[in-house]
Amino acid sequence: MGVDNKIDIKNIPVEVYKPDPDKKAKYNPRDRIYVRAVKGLHQTLRRNIGFVFMAAFMLLPWLQFNGQQAILLDIVEQRFYIFGLTLWPQDFTILAWIFVIAAFALFFVTTFYGRVWCGYLCPQTVWTFIFMWFEEKFQGTRNQRMKLDQEPWSFNKLWRKGLTHFSWLAFSVLTALIFVGYFTPVDQLFIQFFTFETSFWAAVSVWFFAFCTYGNAGWMREIMCTHICPYARFQSAMFDKDTFTVTYDAKRGENRGPRARKDTDYKAKGLGDCIDCNLCVHVCPTGIDIRNGLQYECINCGACIDACDDTMDKMGYAKGLISYTTEHSLEGKTTKVIRGKLVGYFMVLVAVCAAFAWTLVVRKPVVMDIVRDRGALFRETDEGLIENTYTLKVINKSQLEQTYRLSVEGLDDAQWIGEKELTVKGGETANLPISLSLDPVDAKRPVLEIEFVLQDSDEPDVRLTQGSKFFSAR
């Protein structure tokens, strides 16, 4: 190889990073959002709706119906009690219909009015709103909280932070107890939990959900809405130019800039109605600037609308710089409230609701299963009769005690051996062993098709038949 073909080698110095042990590294996974409190129409509505649903969540497990907990989702016994309705595993299609209805109702509302579910009804939003209320009561306003976090640790900071987290934990435990109370008798749960007599799994469930509530509403907050919740990602597929969303009117607001309140000649200076006070950013629970356009992080809570309307009112300008409006409206076009996509979701929602109602109407409040004697198909009695043995399993799916009359069709000359009337408590299962005897002369075939009939003594319309077979010696 010649000298001219050699490749030049260049020495590259490598600098090795050595951490300084005297320097403390600062790690901040996110810039904390200090949400400013705001009053207004939308926040009043949001607070009242949250209060109603929170009260319903807290009180429903304590309601009694026919002497027992009105709503009890007993997973261990595989029975769901919902007032007068008892759902068994074979009734889970009803729960499936409920989930489908909820999904299409969400699609319909989102197409019409954006992400209002997130802003007004989502449990994550409601619980975060409550936790922020505790934070404000103990640590002060937005500016006071920011100042407190910048201060060195002192007794004042310690007791304020301590009471804040104590209230978060206490409310989280209360929330977890109520939630677990939907799946186990709530009155016993509260007594056993505070007397340390609760079962292992009940205690684990309470502390698990308490930890989740404390972490989600106290620490993660908007991270749940912007990064974890899948609804934030696919909601845009339901939006169109006629969807009402929280929107900033850039044509009216720009160019933004500060000015004196008495300055009536601001438009001649090239300024719009936005005074760039940034209150819309300060009150946003997800920390976005709505003036940058529609963003998937926006939960349509309307906090920025109330803050902006209050500022416009003080400045003497017309309200509505930020409002629930549509893209077509901002472009000066007519908003089409009734449109194909919205009508389609509505029609599917109506159809699903009708199917759900039909499922409830045709649902029988009682179930009967026939279990034959597995030891023998038949046996001959001392009288020379052919006898088949069955066990009738009757499930009372209502929450009231019922009495049923039992009979058989297809064996006119058969002798019924056993009880012909059965009383079953609400939500319970009863097994009734019976035998059918038949003269061999009356057995026309080796296998006879028969039907057991169950009829409610108090409600003649409740009648149930279940097919089975009678085996003879011939």
Side-chain angles (χ1 to χ4, degrees), residues 2 51 78-79 100 123 154 163 166 205 222 274-275 320 350 373 384:
F51 175 79
Q78 297 184 350
R79 284 178 289 185
V100 173
S154 61
L163 281 180
F166 175 78
S205 300
E222 77 282 351
C274 178
I275 66 172
V350 171
D373 183 9

Side-chain angles (χ1 to χ4, degrees), residues 270-417:
L271 295 176
D273 285 356
C274 178
I275 66 172
D276 204 20
C277 62
N278 284 327
L279 286 180
C280 57
V281 181
H282 295 168
V283 301
C284 179
T286 57
I288 66 172
D289 189 342
I290 195 63
R291 296 171 296 180
N292 293 334
L294 180 63
Q295 300 152 71
Y296 76 89
E297 296 93 343
C298 178
I299 61 174
N300 264 26
C301 65
C304 55
I305 297 178
D306 290 332
C308 187
D309 282 350
D310 184 60
T311 300
M312 293 294 103
D313 190 51
K314 291 178 180 178
M315 296 296 296
Y317 302 163
K319 296 180 180 179
L321 179 59
I322 302 176
S323 63
Y324 284 103
T325 187
T326 66
E327 189 175 342
H328 274 158
S329 180
L330 291 178
E331 294 174 354
K333 301 178 182 178
T334 303
T335 298
K336 298 179 180 178
V337 177
I338 301 176
R339 53 198 186 275
K341 182 189 293 186
L342 193 65
V343 172
Y345 282 133
F346 180 75
M347 291 178 64
V348 174
L349 180 61
V350 171
V352 174
C353 290
F356 172 69
W358 174 253
T359 303
L360 291 179
V361 170
V362 300
R363 176 181 180 270
K364 294 291 185 181
V366 60
V367 173
M368 178 175 61
D369 292 328
I370 311 299
V371 180
R372 287 186 49 84
D373 183 9
R374 298 179 180 178
L377 293 178
F378 64 90
R379 73 181 186 90
E380 293 187 9
T381 66
D382 295 338
E383 293 82 8
L385 301 177
I386 301 172
E387 185 178 272
N388 283 209
T389 302
Y390 308 85
T391 298
L392 309 185
K393 183 179 180 181
V394 179
I395 303 175
N396 181 8
K397 296 165 69 174
S398 70
Q399 293 190 7
L400 300 175
E401 184 177 271
Q402 302 290 344
T403 300
Y404 306 103
R405 291 193 297 269
L406 301 164
S407 60
V408 65
E409 294 179 352
L411 290 178
D412 297 334
D413 299 322
Q415 181 182 356
W416 181 290
I417 303 172

